[in-house]
Amino acid sequence: NQRRHCIAMFTTNTSIMDSLCLHGGDTCDAGNPFDINSTSINSTLLLLRSYPARVAMLILSASFIIFANLVIKHNQDLRKKINSQQWFLIQMLMHPVIVGGTVYMANITGNEWWGLLGLPFIFNFGAEPMDFTKLPPRVLLIFQLFAYVHHAGPLLACLSCFSIQNNSQFALANSLLYAHAWSLHTLGALDYMKVLRKQKFFWIYMV
């Protein structure tokens, strides 16, 4: 009788487990079936949708970098002319809003094309506000390396592989982080406009 009882329990449990398994699949998840085929399809569709945006960001980033190094770097009069334009100063003042907003929209919607929208502002349209020619060659290389890493930060934050997509809490936290980091540009623009001295606000900004 005990043997029959054990066999009956085994048969019943096996039937329950079978009902929890995926039809045509080979995995079970204790009542929470995980559709591998559906997940693979969704991942593929996400990659195909993201791929053009990433390629576009790479091309546009390379264009601004080339313009900055082959044109602006050797024509400081042009750089100063662009930097002194009212629209350029306004976009510098708005960097926290533009960069933070771009990251937020990319994360909350899962659409990486938002990164492309913010990219021209992130690269200052290729007309960097500082004069690279005044830096020693060895310092220049290191400075430019970190400057472009700084530019790449918010762009990478817009990519699905570096974020939690469609999560409002993560999107807000991530956008505020980059908005704060890029608010230093606002201080720099206000200092250039003689509204304040950025050195007096440096430690307040850091805190």
Side-chain angles (χ1 to χ4, degrees), residues 17 22 27-28 31-32 56 76 79 82 109-111 141 150 166-167 169 173 190 198 204:
M17 290 300 292
L22 298 175
T27 60
C28 292
N32 294 306
Q76 291 302 309
R79 181 187 67 81
I82 296 175
T109 64
N111 190 340
L141 182 62
H150 165 70
N166 309 116
N167 184 302
Q169 292 180 332
L190 292 173
K198 64 181 180 182
I204 298 175

Side-chain angles (χ1 to χ4, degrees), residues 110-139:
N111 190 340
E112 297 182 359
W113 285 100
W114 281 100
L116 189 68
L117 183 65
L119 193 148
F121 301 96
I122 291 171
F123 276 90
N124 295 303
F125 297 88
E128 298 294 348
M130 69 285 292
D131 184 0
F132 287 153
T133 61
K134 293 182 179 180
L135 297 174
R138 297 176 70 176
V139 176

Side-chain angles (χ1 to χ4, degrees), residues 56-122:
M57 280 193 275
L58 282 174
I59 293 174
L60 193 57
S61 297
S63 300
F64 283 129
I65 292 173
I66 293 171
F67 177 70
N69 284 275
L70 297 185
V71 179
I72 294 296
K73 184 178 178 181
H74 303 287
N75 190 341
Q76 291 302 309
D77 290 335
L78 177 60
R79 181 187 67 81
K80 292 177 181 177
K81 183 177 180 180
I82 296 175
N83 289 175
S84 62
Q85 297 293 315
Q86 187 175 10
W87 66 266
F88 189 88
L89 293 174
I90 292 174
Q91 68 94 22
M92 287 286 290
L93 288 170
M94 296 296 291
H95 269 182
V97 177
I98 295 171
V99 174
T102 295
V103 172
Y104 179 82
M105 291 305 299
N107 291 169
I108 197 68
T109 64
N111 190 340
E112 297 182 359
W113 285 100
W114 281 100
L116 189 68
L117 183 65
L119 193 148
F121 301 96
I122 291 171

Side-chain angles (χ1 to χ4, degrees), residues 13-36:
N13 290 336
T14 303
S15 299
I16 293 173
M17 290 300 292
D18 286 342
S19 67
L20 295 176
C21 287
L22 298 175
H23 295 290
D26 57 356
T27 60
C28 292
D29 187 16
N32 294 306
F34 186 70
D35 194 340
I36 296 177

